[in-house]
Amino acid sequence: MPPSYNVYEDRCPARQVLDRLADKWALLILARLQNEPVRFNQLRRDIKGISQKVLSQTLKKLERDGLLSRSVFATVPVTVEYALTDLGQSLVQTVNTFAHWAEQHMDTVLLAQAQYDACAASNPGA
Amino acid sequence: MPPSYNVYEDRCPARQVLDRLADKWALLILARLQNEPVRFNQLRRDIKGISQKVLSQTLKKLERDGLLSRSVFATVPVTVEYALTDLGQSLVQTVNTFAHWAEQHMDTVLLAQAQYDACAASNPGA
DNA sequence: TGTACCTAGTTTCTTTTTGATACCAACAAA
DNA sequence: TTTGTTGGTATCAAAAAGAAACTAGGTACA
């Protein structure tokens, strides 16, 4: 039987889920949380280049989607810990595969880019 | 030994590769090409909601990265076919896993969203 | 001959999103 | 008292995405 949901369909909820996950910051956050809960500022330090605003927004979205949980501890100053839920854990392997692909095939991609750019430079009109 | 590249590092090329792939349109294009070459307007029709501009831009980037190839045939009117390269093929399985995760876990995500929103509505000040 | 339509895009303009920066409250350490 | 920590929010400029019109080269129809 055909699948109930289809990511190619514009308004299918599965597409919306894919839209949420197909985001570099979301993937990096999920990957960073795979082994242990991590606090807000630690995430900010570890995931180089993320801004506080985007980190905050992305964490909220991932929490809303049930992929991670937010725990507040009444320490001084306050401690907020983010951890993967079971649902988030179920996605981590795929996220890792993705990150590893990027790390492993990077040289090939860089080479392809250089070739493309060289070709474009010698054929400016094409 | 530690990996040469690290997606958590801001300027690491691997991060840039991840940035490129962590894009819903790029993933949907790669997934659509997995079984056969597809033409521009066919992609536009199949991937619901993509605009011509973004499709054109994304195809160029993926071609530059060496993930797909662009072939022009001198038919009337002209035919342009996009196909996965070997490098693109090596990524397709991961892309599929992602899309399938979205389709399979969607109900859980929708439920989590509803719970989150209900809780937020009853705790407007929190 | 004019009109409409096909291909594969590009251009233009508006709206949305992102990123950088500053700011906030509460408290600790020097 | 100034500096630093926690976890954020507010503001504003820049970048990206989206919607729509437009291009070019040609076919088909009437």
Side-chain angles (χ1 to χ4, degrees):
Chain A
M1 79 183 189
S4 314
Y5 303 115
N6 183 348
V7 289
Y8 295 110
E9 282 302 324
D10 199 356
R11 306 190 184 182
C12 179
R15 165 70 82 78
Q16 291 162 37
V17 173
L18 186 68
D19 291 356
R20 172 71 31 85
L21 297 176
D23 171 66
K24 64 176 171 180
W25 301 126
L27 294 187
L28 288 169
I29 290 171
L30 292 174
R32 181 60 189 85
L33 293 179
Q34 69 189 293
N35 292 320
E36 72 228 328
V38 184
R39 296 165 64 179
F40 186 88
N41 278 328
Q42 190 63 46
L43 283 171
R44 190 155 75 95
R45 281 187 292 265
D46 290 347
I47 300 172
K48 302 293 166 55
I50 195 169
S51 71
Q52 280 182 310
K53 189 181 78 171
V54 171
L55 177 57
S56 174
Q57 286 173 346
T58 309
L59 286 169
K60 266 185 199 165
K61 290 176 188 170
L62 292 174
E63 185 194 359
R64 177 167 181 267
D65 291 343
L67 291 161
L68 54 81
S69 62
R70 178 177 180 274
S71 308
V72 182
F73 301 97
T75 54
V76 168
V78 64
T79 297
V80 179
E81 222 175 56
Y82 292 91
L84 288 185
T85 60
D86 289 345
L87 185 63
Q89 279 291 351
S90 77
L91 184 60
V92 153
Q93 192 50 57
T94 305
V95 174
N96 279 336
T97 309
F98 234 105
H100 291 157
W101 190 96
E103 289 173 351
Q104 283 169 17
H105 292 79
M106 227 210 37
D107 292 325
T108 313
V109 171
L110 289 179
L111 185 63
Q113 289 179 351
Q115 287 180 343
Y116 184 96
D117 293 347
C119 188
S122 63
N123 290 353
Chain B
M1 79 185 186
S4 314
Y5 303 115
N6 184 349
V7 289
Y8 295 111
E9 282 303 322
D10 199 356
R11 307 189 182 183
C12 179
R15 166 70 82 75
Q16 290 163 37
V17 173
L18 187 68
D19 290 356
R20 172 71 32 84
L21 298 176
D23 171 66
K24 63 176 173 180
W25 300 126
L27 294 187
L28 289 169
I29 290 170
L30 292 174
R32 181 62 189 82
L33 293 180
Q34 69 188 293
N35 292 321
E36 72 229 327
V38 184
R39 296 166 61 181
F40 185 89
N41 278 330
Q42 191 62 46
L43 282 170
R44 189 155 74 96
R45 281 187 292 266
D46 290 347
I47 300 172
K48 302 291 167 57
I50 196 169
S51 71
Q52 280 181 308
K53 189 183 77 170
V54 171
L55 176 57
S56 173
Q57 287 174 346
T58 308
L59 287 170
K60 268 186 196 162
K61 290 176 188 171
L62 292 174
E63 186 194 359
R64 177 167 182 267
D65 291 343
L67 291 161
L68 53 81
S69 63
R70 178 177 179 275
S71 308
V72 181
F73 300 96
T75 53
V76 169
V78 64
T79 297
V80 179
E81 222 175 56
Y82 292 91
L84 289 185
T85 60
D86 289 344
L87 185 63
Q89 279 291 350
S90 77
L91 184 60
V92 152
Q93 194 49 59
T94 304
V95 174
N96 278 336
T97 310
F98 234 104
H100 291 156
W101 190 96
E103 289 173 352
Q104 282 168 17
H105 292 80
M106 229 209 36
D107 292 326
T108 313
V109 171
L110 289 179
L111 185 62
Q113 289 179 350
Q115 286 179 343
Y116 183 96
D117 293 347
C119 188
S122 63
N123 290 353

